Amino acid sequence: QSPLDVERVREDFPILDREVGDGVPLVYFDNAATTQTPNEVIDTFGDYYRGYNANVHRGIHQLSQEASIAYEEAHDRLAEFVGASGEREEMIFTKNTTEAANLVAYAWGLNELGEGDEIVLTEMEHHSTLVTWQQMAKRTGAEVKYIRVDPEDGSLDMEHAKELIGPDTAMVSVVHVSNVLGTVNPLSELADMAHEHDALIFGDGAQAVPNRPVDVEDLDVDFYAFSGHKMAGPTGVGGLYGKKAILEEMEPFMYGGEMIRRVTYEDSSWNDLPWKYEAGTPLIAEGIAFAVAADYLDDLGLKNIRAHEERVTAEAYDRLSRIDGLEIYGPREDEERAGLVSFNLDGVHAHDLSSILNDHGVAIRAGDHCTQPLHQKMDIAASVRASFYLYNTVEELDALVEGIESAKDIFA
Ligand SMILES: Cc1ncc(COP(=O)(O)O)c(CN[C@@H](CS)C(=O)O)c1O
């Protein structure tokens, strides 16, 4: 029995009643790419643009004050959502997780990294952090090293992590939950290892924040990034948590209005946190809707969402593992796995399988999921990924299994 009343929850997501193709019911299993948006979040946009649209931080007229308060308090809400006691001063709104990683790489990395410094990543990193740190290393003369991933069960080789993280390590950047394997990495343990050597740690929380309680202070990460569109919120807004002392010391890398205090022809000084890192007119409605998404998830309960997702994922794993010729990647049935299953079907290319599944109304993802090096390491050209969220049901898995079986009849 799910802790969520899924039938009632699904009423909040009108899109889930859609039909696709020849009138086939939509089965949305692509939640690791982006999640669907509840009415409460959608309505925020209409309320804002009809009721209190104005630019923030500047105007003294009432509309601007209303918009400013809502936008600023949204920062407090997202800080609270991830356990940041510094409230808005430790919560920078970016466009998404990718921009958050680039902000840290440019604002911190460009100034702090040099010859001899090492950046430790994992082999399962998403391109948003892997390419960012790889290119920042090339620009600064630093060196990137990768913690090995065990291809058998997608686990991180922590003995190898101990070997790599050492006195020359300046930054450890780790995906909290892999968007391909479903592996949940021991971020807190890696943070301790980084801090033993006075290195910083960046946590990529894109696939963790939406579906489990995250407490950045318990994790003791120095930075932690996540995206609104992956947690029932809008695209265009993400959160970058940073420890206040680090954000105070760091120099901004995007300049302009909002982020300044005093400007002369000779030099400028910066605004308070977090505005120091939010140059120009921000995504105001998106930021306000981001906080509504956080409220929506907290009302359901992140522990309940996690338990529901575990139930659907376990059933998916069990049913897929019974299909001959289908190989599942990542943690084994008895190991912790986030709400996604990536796999391949013998004799059927991932793109062909996803096309057949689309004909059955099933929306999944096929390709490299922005982790080309991981796929190369696993010696697979691509994979098919089904990813679940709070509104999916065990009954929806029937269409996934039927689609795979029909692909076997056609291709295999
Ligand atoms: C672990 C991880 N880290 C960073 C990102 C980037 O999120 P953005 O909001 O696009 O910036 C993602 C987004 N992964 C999508 C698009 S590739 C997927 O289908 O898996 C992610 O899963």
Side-chain angles (χ1 to χ4, degrees):
Q1 178 63 23
S2 170
L4 297 180
D5 178 353
V6 184
E7 285 317 308
R8 212 237 29 85
V9 165
R10 285 174 70 93
E11 292 167 7
D12 295 335
F13 299 81
I15 196 170
L16 297 175
D17 297 331
R18 266 211 56 174
E19 292 182 348
V20 291
D22 300 333
V24 181
L26 169 68
V27 173
Y28 187 76
F29 282 165
D30 196 20
N31 295 284
T34 200
T35 53
Q36 295 304 334
T37 315
N39 287 323
E40 287 90 324
V41 173
I42 297 168
D43 294 346
T44 308
F45 287 85
D47 297 345
Y48 171 75
Y49 283 108
R50 290 194 194 93
Y52 56 107
N53 173 39
N55 211 327
V56 292
H57 302 323
R58 294 196 187 100
I60 50 174
H61 58 79
Q62 183 167 341
L63 285 189
S64 179
Q65 286 170 359
E66 290 176 16
S68 299
I69 289 166
Y71 183 72
E72 291 165 7
E73 288 181 350
H75 286 68
D76 298 331
R77 182 67 188 88
L78 270 304
E80 177 195 21
F81 192 67
V82 295
S85 54
E87 299 181 327
R88 64 185 67 175
E89 291 186 318
E90 294 186 317
M91 183 49 63
I92 300 162
F93 280 180
T94 60
K95 191 164 75 252
N96 49 35
T97 301
T98 304
E99 187 177 275
N102 279 271
L103 191 160
V104 175
Y106 277 90
W108 176 84
L110 217 45
N111 295 322
E112 300 297 328
L113 293 172
E115 293 286 338
D117 286 328
E118 294 175 357
I119 305 165
V120 175
L121 307 178
T122 75
E123 289 181 330
M124 64 174 91
E125 290 309 298
H126 183 276
H127 291 163
S128 61
T129 51
L130 191 151
V131 178
T132 303
W133 289 117
Q134 171 197 82
Q135 296 305 309
M136 193 50 66
K138 289 175 71 172
R139 289 181 66 162
T140 59
E143 186 185 353
V144 175
K145 295 188 170 181
Y146 297 91
I147 302 170
R148 277 194 301 269
V149 172
D150 181 340
E152 284 310 304
D153 66 356
S155 60
L156 209 50
D157 181 340
M158 292 304 282
E159 286 311 308
H160 191 220
K162 287 191 183 82
E163 288 169 30
L164 290 186
I165 299 172
D168 296 332
T169 307
M171 171 65 79
V172 176
S173 183
V174 177
V175 64
H176 194 174
V177 170
S178 164
N179 64 315
V180 174
L181 301 167
T183 308
V184 181
N185 287 318
L187 202 49
S188 180
E189 193 179 335
L190 288 158
D192 292 346
M193 293 161 70
H195 295 153
E196 273 167 34
H197 297 285
D198 298 326
L200 296 184
I201 183 160
F202 178 101
D204 168 355
Q207 299 293 350
V209 168
N211 49 56
R212 69 199 56 237
V214 167
D215 186 314
V216 290
E217 293 185 357
D218 280 352
L219 292 170
D220 194 22
V221 287
D222 300 296
F223 300 103
Y224 195 87
F226 53 105
S227 296
H229 70 96
K230 295 194 192 288
M231 49 176 275
T235 53
V237 65
L240 171 63
Y241 160 77
K243 283 181 181 171
K244 184 179 175 184
I246 297 171
L247 294 178
E248 290 288 14
E249 193 182 328
M250 216 162 74
E251 276 297 297
F253 87 104
M254 295 265 282
Y255 303 106
E258 312 277 348
M259 57 78 62
I260 48 91
R261 182 181 308 286
R262 287 275 306 137
V263 179
T264 66
Y265 286 121
E266 290 68 33
D267 202 351
S268 304
S269 59
W270 312 134
N271 199 344
D272 298 333
L273 290 175
W275 322 124
K276 167 181 170 185
Y277 294 104
E278 293 193 17
T281 301
L283 288 144
I284 302 166
E286 285 78 1
I288 296 167
F290 196 11
V292 174
D295 289 341
Y296 183 84
L297 298 184
D298 272 345
D299 289 348
L300 290 178
L302 282 166
K303 286 193 174 73
N304 295 329
I305 293 169
R306 179 81 199 105
H308 173 73
E309 209 179 70
E310 273 173 351
R311 182 170 168 271
V312 175
T313 307
E315 179 67 18
Y317 190 105
D318 180 55
R319 297 188 64 177
L320 292 177
S321 61
R322 296 168 193 274
I323 299 173
D324 289 339
L326 189 144
E327 182 183 10
I328 295 176
Y329 307 113
R332 285 183 287 268
E333 195 147 18
D334 58 344
E335 295 175 319
E336 184 181 17
R337 168 186 283 270
L340 62 97
V341 185
S342 295
F343 56 91
N344 270 306
L345 184 62
D346 273 352
V348 185
H349 189 281
H351 289 107
D352 293 331
L353 181 49
S354 69
S355 169
I356 296 286
L357 286 170
N358 179 55
D359 295 342
H360 285 252
V362 181
I364 45 91
R365 176 125 188 230
D368 58 51
H369 317 295
C370 305
T371 60
Q372 288 178 19
L374 177 64
H375 278 74
Q376 287 151 22
K377 171 194 168 68
M378 293 165 67
D379 199 20
I380 51 177
S383 59
V384 178
R385 182 190 66 193
S387 50
F388 313 108
Y389 204 28
L390 52 90
Y391 35 67
N392 289 127
T393 65
V394 166
E395 292 70 26
E396 288 184 300
L397 295 171
D398 294 345
L400 175 65
V401 173
E402 285 155 22
I404 293 170
E405 293 296 354
S406 71
K408 280 182 74 172
D409 297 341
I410 297 167
F411 289 98

